[in-house]
């Protein structure tokens, strides 16, 4: 799949790796990995950089709960911060606000953030459920993202689009719970966004390429 989609930077959530028991992943073209894992085989996030991509890693930050990994570096002479987040099922707003504060202290340059929010942001567009509605939690999350100048890049490209990343058998409904956010100043500069089928590691394929030079040319794909 990675070869077919021509992925250059890979974000994985719910990897289920344990501390000190991270397996060798069979992706020969991806040589630089950063992981955040938990003591049990739950949670877990990873970011990987494809061999040959001139991304120079300066520093990284992970938590001990398998919830986030931040990588800071440079790509084609421009500062870039890569972020992968797996939000908890409960108290998402409080957790996310705290995590964004940690990111604010760490980040430099443009931000590309992959996220399994466990929370839809834009009802009814992000769900087929008739029970879906905006709540104070949705508003707080959107305000937090706006305060950190981060935008939902897929939604910018598809303002009225409906595509989903998760099916709830309990509710018999589809939801978009996985997102790709970017710094506001590069939002909308992407095309070929694709929400694809879930992989064996409980996630989605979401790819995008820069539509023009945004200080990170040539074109690169993220998943």
């Amino acid at each position: 799949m990675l070869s077919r989609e021509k992925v250059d930077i890979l974000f994985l959530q719910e990897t289920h790796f344990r501390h000190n028991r991270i397996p060798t992943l069979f992706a020969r073209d991806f040589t630089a990995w950063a992981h955040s894992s938990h003591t049990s085989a739950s949670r877990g996030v990873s970011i990987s950089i494809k061999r040959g991509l001139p991304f120079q890693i300066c520093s990284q930050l992970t938590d001990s709960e398998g919830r986030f990994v931040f990588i800071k570096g440079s790509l084609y002479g421009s500062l870039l911060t890569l972020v992968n987040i797996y939000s908890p099922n409960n108290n998402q707003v409080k957790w996310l606000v705290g995590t964004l504060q940690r990111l604010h202290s760490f980040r430099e340059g443009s931000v590309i953030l992959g996220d399994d929010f466990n929370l839809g942001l834009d009802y009814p567009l992000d769900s087929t459920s008739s029970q879906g509605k905006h709540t104070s939690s949705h508003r707080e999350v959107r305000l937090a993202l706006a305060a950190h100048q981060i935008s939902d890049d897929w939604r910018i490209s598809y303002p009225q689009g409906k595509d989903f990343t998760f099916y709830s058998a309990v509710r018999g409904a589809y939801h978009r719970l996985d997102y790709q956010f970017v710094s506001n100043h590069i939002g909308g500069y992407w095309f070929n966004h694709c929400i694809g089928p879930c992989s064996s590691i409980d996630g989605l394929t979401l790819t995008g390429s820069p539509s023009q030079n945004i200080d990170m040319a040539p074109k690169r794909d993220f998943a």
Side-chain angles (χ1 to χ4, degrees):
M1 184 274 287
L2 299 179
S3 177
R4 182 179 68 251
E5 299 292 344
K6 299 181 179 179
V7 170
D8 296 288
I9 300 177
L10 177 66
F11 300 83
L12 295 175
Q13 292 109 17
E14 289 195 79
T15 54
H16 304 293
F17 301 153
R18 293 185 180 182
H19 287 327
N20 302 320
R21 297 186 63 182
I22 297 174
T24 300
L25 300 182
F26 295 98
R28 292 180 299 174
D29 292 336
F30 288 80
T31 55
W33 289 88
H35 305 280
S36 176
S37 56
H38 192 243
T39 53
S40 64
S42 63
R43 311 175 192 176
V45 290
S46 300
I47 299 176
S48 184
I49 312 296
K50 188 175 183 180
R51 185 198 310 270
L53 183 68
F55 183 78
Q56 301 295 319
I57 298 175
C58 300
S59 59
Q60 66 183 58
L61 177 66
T62 62
D63 72 329
S64 61
E65 299 297 317
R67 293 290 184 189
F68 71 75
V69 56
F70 306 159
I71 297 179
K72 181 165 54 182
S74 63
L75 180 61
Y76 302 112
S78 296
L79 289 172
L80 179 64
T81 301
L82 304 175
V83 181
N84 199 7
I85 288 175
Y86 174 48
S87 302
N89 290 316
N90 301 304
N91 299 316
Q92 293 103 326
V93 175
K94 181 179 179 181
W95 183 89
L96 179 63
V97 169
T99 301
L100 289 176
Q101 281 298 121
R102 297 185 71 173
L103 174 60
H104 180 74
S105 302
F106 177 86
R107 64 186 282 186
E108 288 189 74
S110 302
V111 172
I112 297 175
L113 187 158
D115 193 309
D116 181 347
F117 255 12
N118 277 314
L119 178 73
L121 291 183
D122 193 353
Y123 288 102
L125 293 177
D126 284 349
S127 176
T128 61
S129 172
S130 59
Q131 300 177 355
K133 62 181 180 179
H134 288 291
T135 66
S136 59
S137 295
H138 299 104
R139 182 174 181 274
E140 288 182 60
V141 170
R142 290 196 298 272
L143 287 174
L145 292 167
H148 291 276
Q149 300 183 7
I150 297 173
S151 302
D152 177 357
D153 203 41
W154 189 89
R155 181 58 66 200
I156 292 174
S157 298
Y158 305 100
Q160 298 299 316
K162 299 193 74 170
D163 208 343
F164 310 104
T165 65
F166 175 76
Y167 176 72
S168 171
V170 174
R171 297 186 178 182
Y174 291 91
H175 306 272
R176 184 167 75 107
L177 304 179
D178 304 81
Y179 297 85
Q180 178 179 290
F181 295 96
V182 298
S183 297
N184 287 351
H185 68 276
I186 62 172
Y189 283 87
W190 302 76
F191 69 94
N192 290 339
H193 286 88
C194 174
I195 295 179
C198 292
S199 72
S200 59
I201 312 182
D202 191 11
L204 82 161
T205 304
L206 193 159
T207 62
S209 304
S211 60
Q212 54 182 285
N213 189 321
I214 53 172
D215 298 325
M216 294 188 297
K219 296 178 182 178
R220 289 297 166 187
D221 288 344
F222 306 88

